[in-house]
Amino acid sequence: MNYKDEQNVDEMIENYIKEFLADIHPEIDSYEAAVHALQTLLPQLIDESEHAQRVQILQSSFGQLLDKFSSYLTPAQKVHVELWLGHQLEQLGAWDNALQVFMSVVKECEADESLSHQKAEALRWIGHIQVMKNNWDEASTYYQNSLSCSLEHSDLEGEAHARNALGYYFFEKGKFADASLEWHHALELAEKLKITKLMASFYTNLGTLAIVQGEWEKALAYYGESIPRFEQVGQQRSLAETYHNMAMTYADVERWSEAGNYYEKSYELAKQIGDIRLQAMVKLNRVRLYLAINDLVYAKAFCQQALRVFQKLEDHLGEADTYKYFGIIDTLKENWAAAEKYFDKSIELNEKYQHPLGKAESHVELGLMYKTKNDLQRARDQFQIALSIYHELELENEVEKVKQLLEDSN
């Protein structure tokens, strides 16, 4: 698309929104109907624009709509729209923009006790974004603040959400026992409240934990509980994430056909809802399918596409995982120096951003590279580092696998 085309598209979108807003009359139209209409219109317009324009369109159009309704909205209604905007910006990967919106919501809710649930939600989403930005201490603080807010106001649903978020934090930090405790507690609350979408989310998380612990049948059983619930409540993003998790589970046991089907389902949904990070994750993990059939051209192409997105989002752990796959590809090509460099970059990023599981996986792959080129001492050194990490994480399944690799490298 050249500059003139971009200018024409921008003018067209601007005119559509102006015409839309001109037809909205706050004195007779409900804000709910106006917001719903704009939510319906925006995806059609956003599809015509580049990523940077999408963020601008979202913020500008909703800002104008809020201004138009400002004197007609209750504080709760205004916060509801702002939370929706924050979620959409986060989904587009505009994390700093989303943070500003959620921070603003927290400030607005401070003086109004009746908005404690919305405040807890905003705090939780600030924590989520800090996790994606690899700011672990900040994420933990916001999750704890969200939990405290919910406990203080006896908000059981908010408590369930906050415990789920803390479970995710512990999971990413490799504290799997703590993650399991929080997720089971959250699931009990969701079952008590009979909130279907929460139960589905917590089943998915427990499935993810089961994968890491090497219990793939248990993982699939948890996903089997979550998928129909997500379908029932129309949670498209969560459904896409669960499809992705199922694909990875099938890939772990080399059931490539099922893995491919679920990767495709996940990618299509992620594309529909505009979740660019999830699209990149699906592309990266599909690399395993191409490695299984030794199609290194497609494997490398998917790695390159994923890396561009992760770098744009400053998702450093996504970068680390991508470098690991580049290393595997170069190992298969016997490009030893390039492979070693990629594995070292992956290990460095996982170390820097405190992701022990990813670090251990990269040490294993570097060890396998040395083993393939018959440099057995260096292979054993890498396996030993991975073994120590897996011991600390209490991942007995992985411990046994690495012990076997050490034995085979003697």
Side-chain angles (χ1 to χ4, degrees):
M1 181 182 285
N2 61 36
Y3 173 74
K4 188 174 181 181
D5 291 336
E6 287 180 7
Q7 198 173 33
N8 289 338
V9 169
D10 288 345
E11 288 175 2
M12 179 196 76
I13 291 169
E14 188 177 349
N15 288 334
Y16 265 121
I17 292 174
K18 279 182 179 176
E19 290 172 11
F20 169 82
L21 290 168
D23 288 336
I24 297 294
H25 304 287
E27 63 276 9
I28 56 174
D29 295 322
S30 74
Y31 104 98
E32 290 94 344
V35 168
H36 178 72
L38 187 53
Q39 289 172 357
T40 303
L41 174 67
L42 278 176
Q44 302 166 35
L45 303 183
I46 285 175
D47 282 346
E48 297 292 332
S49 61
E50 297 299 321
H51 183 265
Q53 281 78 37
R54 296 179 184 189
V55 175
Q56 186 178 349
I57 292 165
L58 267 174
Q59 292 196 287
S60 173
S61 56
F62 268 85
Q64 291 177 65
L65 189 65
L66 278 173
D67 286 345
K68 196 159 191 175
F69 275 89
S70 59
S71 60
Y72 297 86
L73 293 180
T74 65
Q77 289 173 325
K78 183 172 182 287
V79 164
H80 175 76
V81 178
E82 290 172 333
L83 284 171
W84 185 91
L85 176 60
H87 294 317
Q88 300 311 303
L89 289 167
E90 179 273 326
Q91 201 162 279
L92 282 173
W95 293 342
D96 290 335
N97 302 67
L99 275 176
Q100 289 178 2
V101 173
F102 289 130
M103 290 284 196
S104 175
V105 169
V106 171
K107 191 173 180 180
E108 289 176 48
C109 294
E110 291 285 357
D112 191 338
E113 289 281 313
S114 69
L115 297 176
S116 62
H117 182 82
Q118 292 88 335
K119 177 184 173 183
E121 180 180 347
L123 288 167
R124 190 170 67 249
W125 275 93
I126 294 170
H128 290 337
I129 294 170
Q130 296 296 354
V131 164
M132 289 185 283
K133 291 167 73 72
N134 310 124
N135 297 328
W136 299 104
D137 291 342
E138 291 92 334
S140 176
T141 298
Y142 280 107
Y143 286 155
Q144 291 288 356
N145 288 344
S146 179
L147 179 60
S148 298
C149 180
S150 297
L151 290 172
E152 182 183 344
H153 294 90
S154 302
D155 178 0
L156 294 184
E157 182 180 348
E159 180 187 349
H161 277 296
R163 292 194 181 282
N164 180 50
L166 280 167
Y168 180 70
Y169 166 80
F170 287 132
F171 178 85
E172 289 296 319
K173 296 288 286 182
K175 298 178 179 180
F176 300 123
D178 291 332
S180 179
L181 190 66
E182 293 293 352
W183 282 339
H184 276 101
H185 195 158
L187 180 59
E188 287 175 14
L189 287 169
E191 289 173 337
K192 180 179 180 180
L193 295 168
K194 297 180 180 175
I195 301 178
T196 302
K197 65 180 180 181
L198 286 187
M199 287 188 277
S201 294
F202 305 155
Y203 279 128
T204 291
N205 291 340
L206 290 168
T208 304
L209 182 61
I211 290 176
V212 171
Q213 295 172 328
E215 299 177 296
W216 69 272
E217 289 183 339
K218 189 175 181 180
L220 290 175
Y222 277 129
Y223 295 146
E225 293 287 343
S226 64
I227 284 176
R229 288 177 168 86
F230 283 137
E231 290 173 339
Q232 179 186 338
V233 297
Q235 290 283 104
Q236 298 294 82
R237 187 182 193 182
S238 298
L239 187 58
E241 290 169 345
T242 305
Y243 284 152
H244 179 239
N245 291 345
M246 285 198 77
M248 290 193 294
T249 306
Y250 281 123
D252 283 344
V253 292
E254 299 184 2
R255 289 170 58 173
W256 305 116
S257 177
E258 291 101 322
N261 288 337
Y262 278 104
Y263 278 135
E264 189 62 33
K265 285 184 175 185
S266 178
Y267 184 77
E268 287 304 315
L269 272 181
K271 193 174 177 183
Q272 283 176 30
I273 61 178
D275 191 327
I276 62 173
R277 181 173 181 263
L278 182 55
Q279 290 175 57
M281 289 170 64
V282 173
K283 284 184 177 182
L284 181 61
N285 285 307
R286 284 183 75 164
V287 168
R288 296 177 66 184
L289 305 186
Y290 294 112
L291 292 175
I293 60 174
N294 206 37
D295 189 338
L296 303 187
V297 174
Y298 266 104
K300 187 172 182 178
F302 272 63
C303 279
Q304 289 169 333
Q305 291 173 33
L307 183 61
R308 283 195 291 271
V309 175
F310 292 138
Q311 289 177 331
K312 187 174 186 178
L313 295 175
E314 297 183 3
D315 184 342
H316 301 299
L317 293 182
E319 287 183 64
D321 216 19
T322 309
Y323 289 135
K324 179 187 72 178
Y325 278 112
F326 274 128
I328 294 169
I329 292 167
D330 275 319
T331 296
L332 292 171
K333 292 179 175 181
E334 298 187 358
N335 295 335
W336 310 121
E340 186 176 36
K341 192 176 291 185
Y342 280 126
F343 289 133
D344 285 343
K345 286 174 80 171
S346 179
I347 290 166
E348 180 186 345
L349 284 170
N350 279 302
E351 173 73 27
K352 182 176 180 179
Y353 295 102
Q354 305 171 46
H355 193 240
L357 182 59
K359 183 183 175 188
E361 290 171 351
S362 293
H363 277 296
V364 168
E365 294 298 340
L366 180 54
L368 288 170
M369 186 212 74
Y370 286 134
K371 185 172 183 287
T372 303
K373 63 180 289 195
N374 208 33
D375 190 343
L376 298 183
Q377 181 55 56
R378 294 176 83 179
R380 287 193 293 272
D381 290 344
Q382 295 301 317
F383 294 148
Q384 196 62 56
I385 295 170
L387 185 65
S388 297
I389 297 172
Y390 285 136
H391 269 306
E392 288 178 17
L393 297 177
E394 299 181 358
L395 293 176
E396 292 307 314
N397 205 49
E398 299 305 319
V399 165
E400 292 306 313
K401 288 179 185 177
V402 177
K403 281 183 177 178
Q404 187 61 54
L405 288 173
L406 279 164
E407 188 177 322
D408 294 342
S409 301
N410 288 323

